[in-house]
Amino acid sequence: MKSIAGSSAPAALVGAGRRFQLVRYFALTSLVMFALVALALAHFVGRQGDFFRGVQTTQSDFFTQVQTSFTREQEEAARRDLLTVHEAGNVNLTRLFANTLWRDDFAPFVARAAQLPIDSCRAIADLVDPKDGKAKPPAAKKACFSELGVRIAALPGFDAINAKVFDVMKKTTVFKIKVFDLRGITVYSSERTQVGEDKAGNAGWKRAATEGVAMSELTHRDKFSAFEGVVEKRDLISSYLPVLAPGTSTIVGVFEVYSDVTPFLDQIKATAASIAKASFDNQAMVSSMAKANQSVIDEIGNTTMAIVLGLLVLLFLALFFLVRRAERVMVRQDKDRESVNQQLAQSEKMAS
């Protein structure tokens, strides 16, 4: 009996020395897990903010592209409409010329000019420019057609036609008029130095003379010889227009009319600039709203993260105190059990 009682006390001491440190391991494990949860939460909140920021940026870029495209299309549409309207005006002008001047003035003169030979001038071969590979007339060919222009301008009726054209076009937006015969030769131009030029290779003349189709283009000229003299920095619409014999559908010549559209184009540019400014202001407003929304999202994310972290801390503290209380109870129970064991051992010893 003595040996049994003597061995129980060391066993209790050994058990007490190996007691599991509950609070320490709970604190370490909980802190690690809570740190992982906090990192995961921060990651998802950050991803949410980045996603919303990306959506805002994409929408802002798309809005900018739409506004830019709209402004560009509006200006291009305005230019097309301007070209169409003025082409229609030039067609009417050509018909007016054909009805009033062609039969009595231009038709006889064009017929006389058509009798002048041009084969010798066209027989001079063009030279290929090594820079761009395009064929260009040599100086001899230009001189030949220039001489042809002098001979055309010397024909009877040229000065009378020129005076009538200048009188009719004075104080109008028409800056220049040319008349081509069906060979492509410029038989009349309000700019006399251009009389005699060969335009047979010009695409506008070809379509007007062979297909009866009007062709127009919008160009900018730094200097231009007009009825009122030399003008600078003007936007012009040039139209190649077929001339039909009065009362028929027979093409008898081609008109080229230059009309000034600078005020209209300036108005189009001003309207486009106003639309672009409005678009810029709208974009600035959208960007400002996007920043405000992003700030709200960031604030909500930070608040959510702070609340969740605060709740985790409270949970940790509550569980910590609960575990600590449990450990104290377990320690007291161990002490009580040890005391009982000692008393039993003492009783056994006394009994033996």
Side-chain angles (χ1 to χ4, degrees):
M1 295 296 294
K2 182 176 181 182
S3 61
I4 296 175
S7 63
S8 62
L13 293 175
V14 172
R18 295 180 180 178
R19 184 181 299 116
F20 182 73
Q21 302 295 322
L22 181 61
V23 174
R24 177 185 299 175
Y25 287 105
F26 169 78
L28 292 177
T29 304
S30 299
L31 287 175
V32 171
M33 295 304 298
F34 287 166
L36 293 176
V37 172
L39 290 175
L41 179 63
H43 172 72
F44 288 119
V45 170
R47 286 288 301 275
Q48 179 183 0
D50 293 340
F51 172 76
F52 187 80
R53 187 179 296 106
V55 171
Q56 292 280 85
T57 302
T58 302
Q59 291 179 345
S60 179
D61 293 341
F62 176 74
F63 181 77
T64 301
Q65 292 176 1
V66 170
Q67 291 288 337
T68 303
S69 176
F70 172 76
T71 302
R72 183 174 59 253
E73 290 180 2
Q74 186 274 337
E75 184 174 1
E76 291 176 355
R79 286 173 175 267
R80 287 195 302 268
D81 293 342
L82 178 66
L83 191 64
T84 301
V85 170
H86 275 265
E87 183 179 270
N90 290 341
V91 170
N92 291 330
L93 177 63
T94 302
R95 291 173 180 171
L96 176 63
F97 262 73
N99 293 334
T100 58
L101 298 177
W102 187 265
R103 179 182 299 174
D104 297 331
D105 297 292
F106 276 107
F109 179 77
V110 171
R112 286 192 291 269
Q115 296 176 0
L116 298 176
I118 60 172
D119 294 339
S120 59
C121 294
R122 285 183 173 174
I124 302 175
D126 292 334
L127 299 178
V128 178
D129 191 337
K131 294 182 179 180
D132 54 16
K134 295 181 180 180
K136 296 182 179 180
K141 192 170 187 176
K142 292 180 180 179
C144 184
F145 279 108
S146 178
E147 177 62 26
L148 175 65
V150 173
R151 294 171 62 190
I152 292 175
L155 292 174
F158 181 89
D159 291 335
I161 291 175
N162 194 50
K164 287 183 178 181
V165 170
F166 270 77
D167 187 58
V168 171
M169 293 298 135
K170 190 178 298 183
K171 302 298 183 182
T172 68
T173 59
V174 177
F175 275 8
K176 184 186 293 186
I177 290 178
K178 294 181 182 180
V179 180
F180 307 94
D181 61 16
L182 296 181
R183 301 177 300 173
I185 300 300
T186 308
V187 296
Y188 173 78
S189 174
S190 54
E191 186 178 352
R192 184 167 296 199
T193 57
Q194 294 180 340
V195 176
E197 290 181 348
D198 186 8
K199 292 294 183 179
N202 184 277
W205 177 87
K206 285 181 179 179
R207 293 205 64 184
T210 61
E211 302 177 25
V213 178
M215 287 191 64
S216 300
E217 65 174 346
L218 177 63
T219 58
H220 178 80
R221 301 294 181 90
D222 291 330
K223 287 186 178 182
F224 192 80
S225 179
F227 287 107
E228 304 297 329
V230 177
V231 294
E232 297 182 351
K233 300 185 183 304
R234 309 301 292 182
D235 295 294
L236 306 173
I237 289 180
S238 60
S239 300
Y240 285 91
L241 308 162
V243 181
L244 305 179
T248 69
S249 58
T250 303
I251 300 175
V252 293
V254 175
F255 263 86
E256 184 181 8
V257 179
Y258 289 82
S259 55
D260 181 30
V261 294
T262 304
F264 303 101
L265 198 60
D266 288 343
Q267 183 62 39
I268 291 174
K269 292 178 180 178
T271 302
S274 177
I275 295 176
K277 183 180 182 303
S279 174
F280 178 80
D281 294 339
N282 292 336
Q283 179 60 28
M285 185 181 300
V286 170
S287 298
S288 177
M289 293 176 62
K291 290 181 180 179
N293 293 336
Q294 185 63 44
S295 299
V296 172
I297 292 297
D298 291 341
E299 183 179 355
I300 292 175
N302 294 333
T303 303
T304 301
M305 187 172 175
I307 292 174
V308 173
L309 290 177
L311 293 175
L312 289 176
V313 170
L314 291 177
L315 177 62
F316 170 76
L317 292 176
L319 293 176
F320 177 80
F321 286 116
L322 180 62
V323 171
R324 186 177 180 185
R325 175 63 177 169
E327 186 184 42
R328 288 178 178 178
V329 171
M330 291 171 62
V331 170
R332 186 170 61 250
Q333 289 177 349
D334 288 341
K335 288 182 179 181
D336 292 342
R337 188 181 304 109
E338 194 175 326
S339 178
V340 170
N341 289 335
Q342 289 178 357
Q343 290 178 3
L344 288 175
Q346 185 67 23
S347 297
E348 291 178 357
K349 183 178 180 183
M350 294 287 293
S352 62

